[in-house]
Amino acid sequence: DRIAILPEQIEELENLETLDIRRTGVRLVDVKKDDGFKKLMHLLVTDAKLPTSVKKMKELQELSMVEVGDNTTPQSLQELGELEKLRILGIKWSRNYGDTKGKTEDPWEKNLVSALDKLGDHNLQSLCIDAGENSSLDFLVKFWSPSLNLEKFKLTCPHYYFCHLPTKMANAKLPNLTYLEIGIDTVQDGDLKILRSLPALILLKHRVKESTGLAIGTQ
């Protein structure tokens, strides 16, 4: 847990497939060489920044839990969508908007939604999202279209609740989604209809900030 910096030579490990630096102090993993991490398939971190050259990690199948904050470039989020082999993604959204929230289109939000859409068209099967104390994921409710390939979705932050289930989840019906962990502010009839329409759902972890007394029921 005292390790905070990775040696640059680690990129030269030509056959490295898994780099697990969870429970360390490492907060930055970057690709500085064109052929660095060329066979890396699993990058597991704890709140390390999204690599600025993430598109060079072309073999990545698993990336979690990377932090997207004010120091992350919108371009890095755009490049995230180019990882065609990525199956598992974990993100901690730590954007602090200040006085700009809602006043202009946020390029970080736009690029993340675009990246998730592209990854969904490729191989993304599992998505885990956390949020910082002062961050909001409300934009996902409006604009994110869950992929038909998605098998697992986790909203893990205990202090944040979606206002309702993502709007476009109703249209997708997500035929492969077996695991759903989510928090909703107040459950409405529309949310229950979406949950009932998920044909493959096996496990549901559902946090509710305010109960309305509705029951999920069956059809």
Side-chain angles (χ1 to χ4, degrees):
D1 57 358
R2 297 181 180 178
I3 299 174
I5 299 176
L6 290 175
E8 292 184 11
Q9 292 86 347
I10 200 168
E11 290 187 51
E12 299 173 10
L13 299 176
E14 296 182 357
N15 296 306
L16 185 68
E17 295 182 355
T18 298
L19 179 59
D20 187 347
I21 49 175
R22 293 172 293 186
R23 297 173 295 278
T24 72
V26 177
R27 296 293 177 263
L28 181 63
V29 181
D30 265 336
V31 186
K32 296 183 179 180
K33 301 180 180 180
D34 289 337
D35 59 348
F37 298 119
K38 63 182 180 181
K39 291 187 178 180
L40 191 67
M41 293 190 292
H42 308 277
L43 178 57
L44 311 175
V45 303
T46 302
D47 296 341
K49 289 175 55 179
L50 178 68
T52 55
S53 301
V54 68
K55 70 176 181 180
K56 294 182 180 179
M57 300 181 179
K58 299 183 181 202
E59 298 299 315
L60 267 189
Q61 297 181 22
E62 181 176 7
L63 175 62
S64 63
M65 290 280 300
V66 290
E67 184 175 40
V68 175
D70 296 332
N71 294 326
T72 304
T73 64
Q75 182 180 355
S76 297
L77 282 171
Q78 190 175 35
E79 293 179 358
L80 180 64
E82 299 180 25
L83 300 178
E84 297 184 0
K85 297 183 179 181
L86 197 67
R87 296 183 299 106
I88 302 171
L89 175 63
I91 289 179
K92 182 174 182 180
W93 185 257
S94 298
R95 284 273 289 134
N96 294 317
Y97 301 90
D99 296 333
T100 64
K101 180 62 179 172
K103 294 183 179 180
T104 59
E105 184 179 55
D106 187 85
W108 286 265
E109 294 180 354
K110 178 182 177 181
N111 286 0
L112 177 60
V113 171
S114 175
L116 292 178
D117 287 345
K118 289 180 181 178
L119 292 172
D121 290 338
H122 299 315
N123 290 299
L124 189 65
Q125 298 171 7
S126 176
L127 176 61
C128 177
I129 296 186
D130 193 0
E133 289 290 339
N134 300 314
S135 298
S136 171
L137 294 166
D138 292 352
F139 65 97
L140 290 180
V141 176
K142 296 180 181 179
F143 303 115
W144 174 49
S145 299
S147 165
L148 296 178
N149 298 319
L150 196 65
E151 298 177 2
K152 188 174 186 178
F153 176 71
K154 296 173 64 177
L155 178 68
T156 59
C157 39
H159 61 276
Y160 174 81
Y161 297 82
F162 282 146
C163 55
H164 54 74
L165 284 172
T167 303
K168 297 183 180 180
M169 186 179 285
N171 299 328
K173 294 189 178 179
L174 304 180
N176 297 307
L177 189 71
T178 60
Y179 184 110
L180 177 61
E181 181 177 343
I182 199 165
I184 302 177
D185 193 353
T186 303
V187 178
Q188 304 295 333
D189 282 330
D191 300 314
L192 299 182
K193 289 179 181 178
I194 294 175
L195 290 174
R196 287 197 294 261
S197 71
L198 301 175
L201 194 63
I202 294 174
L203 192 150
L204 172 64
K205 290 186 178 182
H206 189 203
R207 293 179 292 106
V208 180
K209 190 174 183 180
E210 182 178 344
S211 175
T212 59
L214 296 173
I216 291 178
T218 58
Q219 286 183 329

